[in-house]
Amino acid sequence: MSRRRRNAESGPAATNAAVFGEVLRHFREAAGLTQEELSNKIPCDRSQVARVEAGTRVPQESFAKQCDELLRTGGAAAAMGADRLVPGGAASGLVRAAGGDGCEGPRCP
Protein backbone atom coordinates (compact mmCIF):
# COMPACT_ATOMS: atom_id res chain seq x y z
CA MET A 1 0.00 0.00 0.00
CA SER A 2 1.51 3.32 -1.03
CA ARG A 3 1.15 6.49 0.98
CA ARG A 4 0.36 9.67 -0.89
CA ARG A 5 2.41 12.63 0.30
CA ARG A 6 0.65 15.95 0.63
CA ASN A 7 3.15 18.66 -0.12
CA ALA A 8 2.56 22.30 -0.84
CA GLU A 9 5.03 23.20 -3.57
CA SER A 10 3.15 25.84 -5.56
CA GLY A 11 -0.20 27.48 -6.10
CA PRO A 12 -2.93 28.11 -3.51
CA ALA A 13 -1.94 25.09 -1.42
CA ALA A 14 1.51 26.61 -0.93
CA THR A 15 0.01 29.90 0.28
CA ASN A 16 -2.42 28.09 2.56
CA ALA A 17 0.28 25.85 4.00
CA ALA A 18 2.54 28.85 4.63
CA VAL A 19 -0.23 30.68 6.53
CA PHE A 20 -1.01 27.58 8.61
CA GLY A 21 2.70 27.12 9.32
CA GLU A 22 3.05 30.70 10.48
CA VAL A 23 0.06 30.35 12.82
CA LEU A 24 1.31 27.00 14.14
CA ARG A 25 4.75 28.43 14.90
CA HIS A 26 3.18 31.41 16.69
CA PHE A 27 1.09 29.22 18.99
CA ARG A 28 3.89 26.68 19.56
CA GLU A 29 6.34 29.39 20.59
CA ALA A 30 3.69 31.11 22.74
CA ALA A 31 3.24 27.78 24.55
CA GLY A 32 7.00 27.61 25.15
CA LEU A 33 7.42 24.37 23.20
CA THR A 34 10.13 23.30 20.79
CA GLN A 35 9.28 21.45 17.59
CA GLU A 36 10.58 18.28 19.24
CA GLU A 37 8.38 18.74 22.32
CA LEU A 38 5.28 19.37 20.19
CA SER A 39 6.02 16.37 17.98
CA ASN A 40 6.31 14.13 21.04
CA LYS A 41 2.89 15.29 22.24
CA ILE A 42 1.07 14.84 18.89
CA PRO A 43 2.83 12.20 18.32
CA CYS A 44 4.65 12.59 15.02
CA ASP A 45 8.18 13.09 13.75
CA ARG A 46 9.81 16.46 14.50
CA SER A 47 10.50 16.89 10.79
CA GLN A 48 6.76 16.86 10.09
CA VAL A 49 6.24 19.79 12.46
CA ALA A 50 9.19 21.57 10.81
CA ARG A 51 7.80 21.00 7.28
CA VAL A 52 4.31 22.18 8.28
CA GLU A 53 5.74 25.30 9.93
CA ALA A 54 7.89 25.97 6.86
CA GLY A 55 4.80 25.74 4.66
CA THR A 56 6.16 22.86 2.58
CA ARG A 57 3.71 20.28 3.95
CA VAL A 58 -0.09 20.64 3.97
CA PRO A 59 -1.28 19.44 7.37
CA GLN A 60 -3.88 16.72 7.64
CA GLU A 61 -7.05 17.62 9.52
CA SER A 62 -6.12 15.26 12.37
CA PHE A 63 -2.77 17.05 12.75
CA ALA A 64 -4.54 20.42 12.89
CA LYS A 65 -7.01 19.18 15.52
CA GLN A 66 -4.20 17.77 17.67
CA CYS A 67 -2.36 21.10 17.49
CA ASP A 68 -5.55 22.94 18.41
CA GLU A 69 -6.03 20.83 21.53
CA LEU A 70 -2.37 20.80 22.61
CA LEU A 71 -1.69 24.49 21.97
CA ARG A 72 -5.12 25.78 23.01
CA THR A 73 -5.47 27.85 19.84
CA GLY A 74 -9.12 28.68 20.45
CA GLY A 75 -10.07 26.82 17.29
CA ALA A 76 -7.62 28.56 14.94
CA ALA A 77 -5.69 25.41 13.99
CA ALA A 78 -8.74 23.22 13.52
CA ALA A 79 -10.48 25.98 11.54
CA MET A 80 -7.47 26.07 9.24
CA GLY A 81 -7.37 22.29 8.71
CA ALA A 82 -6.17 20.97 5.35
CA ASP A 83 -9.52 21.46 3.61
CA ARG A 84 -10.34 24.84 5.18
CA LEU A 85 -7.19 26.91 4.80
CA VAL A 86 -7.80 30.52 3.85
CA PRO A 87 -5.90 31.57 0.69
CA GLY A 88 -3.62 34.56 1.02
CA GLY A 89 -4.72 35.55 4.54
CA ALA A 90 -2.38 37.03 7.07
CA ALA A 91 -1.58 34.78 10.00
CA SER A 92 -1.74 37.66 12.43
CA GLY A 93 -5.34 38.38 11.42
CA LEU A 94 -6.26 34.75 11.95
CA VAL A 95 -4.67 34.74 15.39
CA ARG A 96 -6.66 37.83 16.39
CA ALA A 97 -9.84 36.30 14.93
CA ALA A 98 -9.26 33.21 17.07
CA GLY A 99 -9.61 35.22 20.22
CA GLY A 100 -6.57 37.33 20.93
CA ASP A 101 -2.86 37.06 20.69
CA GLY A 102 -2.88 33.30 21.30
CA CYS A 103 -0.62 33.63 24.29
CA GLU A 104 -1.67 31.01 26.81
CA GLY A 105 1.63 29.29 27.52
CA PRO A 106 4.03 29.62 30.42
CA ARG A 107 5.85 32.55 28.79
CA CYS A 108 2.77 34.77 28.59
CA PRO A 109 2.33 37.82 30.79
Side-chain angles (χ1 to χ4, degrees), residues 15-24 26-27 76 80 85-98 100:
T15 301
N16 291 338
V19 171
F20 184 93
E22 195 174 328
V23 171
L24 175 61
H26 168 82
F27 282 108
M80 294 179 65
L85 292 171
V86 178
S92 60
L94 291 167
V95 169
R96 284 191 301 276

Side-chain angles (χ1 to χ4, degrees), residues 10-78:
S10 64
T15 301
N16 291 338
V19 171
F20 184 93
E22 195 174 328
V23 171
L24 175 61
R25 181 178 309 236
H26 168 82
F27 282 108
R28 177 184 58 76
E29 289 176 349
L33 296 174
T34 65
Q35 289 179 343
E36 184 74 29
E37 290 167 334
L38 179 60
S39 70
N40 288 336
K41 290 175 182 274
I42 289 179
C44 68
D45 190 70
R46 186 210 55 84
S47 65
Q48 181 177 347
V49 174
R51 288 191 306 266
V52 170
E53 285 188 357
T56 60
R57 175 90 178 188
V58 176
Q60 293 182 354
E61 188 172 349
S62 60
F63 180 91
K65 285 181 180 179
Q66 279 287 102
C67 290
D68 193 28
E69 291 174 19
L70 293 168
L71 301 174
R72 292 180 249 148
T73 68

